[in-house]
């Protein structure tokens, strides 16, 4: 309670990177990796140096060397990432002797889906899950987080000594750490984590066939290397998925930033934000359709594309007029403290293991309490009508609303600042808070709606969105919007901090490494796929 007696600048000093709270936060160790197969590149990013590997189809010829001694890659599961990764790996390795085999439960409803894209028992590319694990030299484990937590002992027992366990999410490490267990000591453990949902991984790979590659950026990490080849395998995996660039992380940092991010600006935060803004604009006298356009359509159709192409700072400095800037300033100054409060709590809950335990406990009661949908509420029904009434690419359908931009950017910057204070690398911060939002998720939200994304994402993300979106909604309406309407705001302090934030340099660097084409959500292959975040 004493916190509320402090002035806003005092509160922000506690929360700001470099402030007292930040001093005790863990700083990420300097990471470096070596590769004799792929070339590293040092990049200067916000006053720090990081090493990355650029992708490209011209590197596919190096994959046999990166995958030396790997005769079979087993892709286990068929949810979001698995269809994309299995098909991309198969096509990238088409000129090699390496087999890409999908492993599923015999009774899996996804069996027919895997067959529909060419994985079959007859060809030796589709089989029972544990048999596939036993046969494979690289096991890409893409079953749900809850299933990994339930089946990990059987999975570990099935793996060959010296094989490599590949993860696209650090959730399993978080679970093992929370119960005092570890990975088997006789296997490699690596991660390649695309910074986008599976359909984006596949669609951009397809779009890149004519231009030497386009895809989703990936982080990679080597948690355990018993063969001395784990780094090459991880880099080869990322290259084969079509990643335009890969940056190094740890599995611990990955699961913290990933689980945190999807509860924030990637999904839960934007869900709660749209609900709050929609009601606010209605209360101000707008029609329901205009309220939805000024809130959701402004985010997905104008603000996110502008950030993707020009950056967050340029959105403010170059794309907003004077009146819009005034609205932005007021919204930002009110929404940043409210967003930062929730986002810090989310990060602490993830880092403590509480969010992971929550997901696992839900898995135990899923049969009795299945996850419901949100798309039947008035907000999202209006959204269906607004999307149906669009006039092509008419900019009038997607207004650049200064107030909405201020709220959206405030939440994005608050998410960034929490990750900065926790010591994450700038590549990870920007990809988890900006690139994934504006280049992967928002295009699909714009095409099918935020509610569709929330209702069809992974179980971990769906649970996180439902848990935290109401908190964002509540604090924006009860705290941020009240501050806008009833009190003077210290806009100068917060806007100055926003404009001087070193992350803008990092965003510019990462934008230069973004996919070489904009994702096309309307391609036949993508609209037939179930969109799962």
């Amino acid at each position: 309670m004493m916190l509320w007696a402090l002035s806003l600048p005092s509160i922000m000093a506690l929360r700001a990177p470099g402030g007292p709270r930040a001093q005790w936060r863990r700083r990420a160790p300097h990471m470096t990796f070596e590769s004799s197969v792929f070339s590293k590149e040092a990049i200067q990013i916000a006053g720090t140096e990081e090493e990355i590997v650029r992708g490209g189809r011209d590197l596919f010829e190096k994959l046999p060397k990166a995958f030396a001694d790997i005769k079979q890659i087993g892709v286990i599961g068929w949810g979001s990432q698995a269809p994309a990764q299995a098909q991309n790996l198969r096509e990238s390795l088409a000129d090699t002797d390496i087999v890409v085999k999908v492993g599923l439960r015999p009774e899996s409803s996804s069996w027919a889906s895997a067959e529909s894209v060419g994985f079959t028992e007859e060809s030796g590319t589709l089989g029972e899950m544990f048999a596939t694990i036993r046969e494979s030299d690289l096991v890409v484990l893409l079953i749900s987080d809850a299933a990994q937590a339930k089946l990990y002992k059987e999975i570990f027992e099935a793996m060959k000594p010296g094989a490599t366990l590949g993860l696209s999410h650090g959730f399993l490490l978080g679970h093992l750490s929370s119960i005092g267990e570890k990975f088997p000591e006789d296997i490699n453990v690596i991660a390649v984590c695309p910074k986008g949902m599976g359909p984006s991984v596949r669609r951009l790979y397809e779009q890149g066939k004519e231009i030497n590659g386009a895809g989703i950026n990936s982080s990679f990490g080597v948690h355990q290397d018993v063969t001395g080849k784990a780094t090459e395998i991880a880099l080869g995996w990322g290259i084969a998925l079509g990643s335009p660039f890969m940056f190094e992380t740890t599995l611990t940092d990955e699961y913290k930033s990933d689980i945190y991010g999807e509860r924030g600006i990637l999904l839960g935060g934007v869900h709660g934000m749209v609900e709050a803004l929609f009601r606010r604009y209605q209360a101000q006298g707008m029609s329901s359709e205009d309220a939805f356009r000024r809130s959701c359509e402004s985010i997905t159709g104008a603000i996110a594309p502008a950030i993707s192409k020009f950056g967050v700072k340029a959105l403010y400095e170059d794309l907003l007029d004077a009146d819009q800037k005034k609205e932005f300033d007021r919204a930002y100054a009110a929404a940043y403290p409210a967003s930062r409060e929730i986002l810090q709590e989310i990060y602490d809950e993830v880092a403590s293991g509480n969010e992971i335990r929550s997901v696992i406990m839900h898995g135990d009661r899923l049969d009795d309490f299945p996850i419901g949908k949100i798309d039947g509420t008035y907000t999202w029904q209006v959204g269906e009508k607004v999307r149906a009434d669009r006039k092509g690419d008419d900019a009038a359908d997607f207004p650049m609303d200064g107030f909405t931009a201020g709220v959206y950017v405030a939440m994005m910057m608050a998410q960034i600042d929490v990750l900065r204070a926790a010591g994450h690398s700038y590549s990870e911060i920007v990809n988890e808070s900006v690139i994934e939002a504006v280049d992967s998720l928002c295009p699909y939200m714009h095409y099918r709606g935020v509610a569709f994304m929330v209702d069809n994402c992974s179980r971990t993300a769906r649970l996180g969105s439902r848990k935290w979106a109401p908190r964002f909604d509540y604090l924006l309406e009860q705290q941020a919007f009240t501050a806008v309407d009833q009190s003077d705001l210290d806009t100068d302090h917060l806007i100055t901090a926003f404009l001087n934030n070193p992350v803008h340099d990092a965003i510019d660097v990462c934008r230069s490494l973004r996919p070489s084409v904009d994702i096309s959500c309307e391609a036949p292959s993508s609209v037939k796929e179930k969109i799962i975040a």
Side-chain angles (χ1 to χ4, degrees):
M1 296 299 293
M2 290 296 293
L3 181 62
W4 298 109
L6 298 174
S7 67
L8 182 58
S10 297
I11 294 171
M12 299 320 302
L14 286 172
R15 291 170 170 165
R21 181 181 180 94
Q23 297 305 313
W24 55 264
R25 287 277 180 196
R26 172 191 55 79
R27 303 307 301 174
H30 176 70
M31 293 179 291
T32 185
F33 62 94
E34 298 298 331
S35 174
S36 62
V37 180
F38 303 105
S39 298
K40 297 191 300 182
E41 178 181 339
I43 60 172
Q44 302 300 317
I45 182 166
T48 66
E49 182 175 287
E50 296 184 28
E51 293 178 333
I52 66 168
V53 169
R54 291 182 185 263
R57 290 173 177 264
D58 58 311
L59 299 178
F60 287 180
E61 63 184 24
K62 296 186 176 184
L63 293 177
K65 186 175 180 181
F67 289 141
D69 301 327
I70 291 180
K71 297 179 174 60
Q72 178 172 297
I73 299 173
V75 178
I76 310 303
W78 200 258
S80 167
Q81 288 287 332
Q85 294 204 28
Q87 291 178 82
N88 290 11
L89 284 165
R90 179 179 62 186
E91 292 177 20
S92 298
L93 294 167
D95 295 330
T96 74
D97 295 327
I98 300 171
V99 175
V100 177
K101 184 173 183 177
V102 173
L104 300 172
R105 292 175 290 104
E107 69 277 14
S108 172
S109 60
S110 299
W111 197 278
S113 179
E115 289 181 323
S116 72
V117 293
F119 294 98
T120 65
E121 288 184 275
E122 293 74 19
S123 66
T125 58
L126 177 62
E128 192 274 333
M129 172 177 162
F130 287 104
T132 302
I133 292 173
R134 284 190 287 270
E135 299 166 359
S136 298
D137 306 296
L138 168 59
V139 176
V140 178
L141 187 64
L142 299 176
I143 58 177
S144 72
D145 294 335
Q148 290 184 31
K150 182 178 181 180
L151 299 173
Y152 73 91
K153 289 184 179 179
E154 297 169 72
I155 293 167
F156 293 167
E157 185 177 341
M159 290 193 65
K160 298 189 295 186
T164 299
L165 176 64
L167 304 168
S168 283
H169 188 14
F171 185 97
L172 183 55
L173 172 63
H175 173 58
L176 295 177
S177 298
S178 72
I179 60 175
E181 296 198 28
K182 298 180 179 180
F183 293 102
E185 295 181 353
D186 60 352
I187 62 171
N188 296 329
V189 180
I190 64 174
V192 171
C193 308
K195 300 297 113 179
M197 58 188 182
S200 300
V201 174
R202 180 59 181 164
R203 181 64 196 120
L204 281 167
Y205 180 93
E206 293 175 315
Q207 289 178 249
K209 289 180 179 179
E210 305 302 323
I211 53 174
N212 192 34
I216 292 293
N217 306 331
S218 295
S219 61
F220 77 94
V222 175
H223 183 73
Q224 196 165 281
D225 186 355
V226 301
T227 65
K229 301 176 181 178
T231 298
E232 305 293 13
I233 295 170
L235 293 174
W237 176 12
I239 294 291
L241 292 184
S243 297
F245 87 93
M246 289 168 286
F247 60 93
E248 189 177 17
T249 188
T250 67
L251 265 69
T252 299
D253 275 358
E254 193 285 327
Y255 81 74
K256 288 180 181 178
S257 62
D258 187 87
I259 297 174
Y260 161 76
E262 67 193 14
R263 281 146 176 76
I265 197 67
L266 300 184
L267 197 67
V270 75
H271 169 194
M273 181 193 310
V274 169
E275 294 268 18
L277 286 168
F278 176 72
R279 290 195 310 274
R280 176 176 175 81
Y281 292 148
Q282 279 187 303
Q284 291 175 341
M286 291 186 193
S287 69
S288 297
E289 290 78 10
D290 283 343
F292 194 85
R293 291 188 184 96
R294 305 301 294 194
S295 55
C296 193
E297 296 286 88
S298 183
I299 290 170
T300 62
I303 296 166
I307 291 172
S308 173
K309 290 181 171 58
F310 306 110
V312 179
K313 191 174 182 179
L315 167 71
Y316 177 80
E317 293 183 330
D318 300 334
L319 300 181
L320 300 180
D321 61 31
D323 289 338
Q324 288 174 328
K325 280 188 172 71
K326 290 179 182 178
E327 286 295 294
F328 180 104
D329 290 354
R330 295 168 63 242
Y332 185 96
Y336 180 94
S339 299
R340 183 76 186 267
E341 176 182 337
I342 305 172
L343 286 160
Q344 187 63 63
E345 182 181 353
I346 294 172
Y347 189 89
D348 292 344
E349 288 291 292
V350 173
S352 71
N354 286 346
E355 284 295 302
I356 289 175
R357 284 187 286 271
S358 177
V359 171
I360 292 169
M361 286 189 292
H362 181 271
D364 294 335
R365 60 180 185 268
L366 184 62
D367 290 340
D368 295 325
F369 302 100
I371 303 175
K373 292 189 173 185
I374 69 164
D375 62 358
T377 65
Y378 183 64
T379 305
W380 310 116
Q381 290 298 303
V382 171
E384 290 281 354
K385 181 179 185 304
V386 168
R387 284 191 296 278
D389 290 343
R390 286 175 182 166
K391 303 178 182 66
D393 294 325
D394 188 345
D397 284 341
F398 319 126
M400 178 67 77
D401 188 276
F403 192 90
T404 297
V407 176
Y408 185 76
V409 171
M411 188 178 294
M412 180 175 281
M413 295 300 295
Q415 178 165 312
I416 286 167
D417 286 344
V418 170
L419 290 173
R420 286 181 61 210
H424 291 262
S425 72
Y426 274 107
S427 288
E428 188 158 64
I429 291 168
V430 174
N431 275 277
E432 290 286 5
S433 304
V434 183
I435 303 296
E436 185 167 356
V438 301
D439 282 338
S440 178
L441 297 181
C442 275
Y444 279 97
M445 289 178 179
H446 192 61
Y447 182 51
R448 295 296 300 271
V450 174
F452 182 85
M453 288 293 305
V454 172
D455 285 340
N456 291 278
C457 60
S458 71
R459 187 187 305 169
T460 300
R462 290 174 74 188
L463 289 171
S465 180
R466 280 159 175 73
K467 180 177 180 179
W468 293 100
R471 290 285 304 281
F472 283 105
D473 184 343
Y474 178 86
L475 274 194
L476 285 173
E477 179 168 345
Q478 298 293 323
Q479 182 174 316
F481 298 163
T482 300
V484 169
D485 295 335
Q486 297 181 359
S487 65
D488 292 330
L489 292 166
D490 183 10
T491 56
D492 291 345
H493 173 80
L494 285 167
I495 294 300
T496 298
F498 158 62
L499 293 174
N500 292 333
N501 196 308
V503 80
H504 296 301
D505 174 66
I507 292 171
D508 287 341
V509 172
C510 291
R511 277 196 312 106
S512 72
L513 300 168
R514 71 187 290 274
S516 50
V517 297
D518 293 331
I519 191 167
S520 172
C521 299
E522 299 188 20
S525 62
S526 65
V527 297
K528 291 179 181 178
E529 291 181 272
K530 183 181 181 183
I531 298 176
I532 306 177

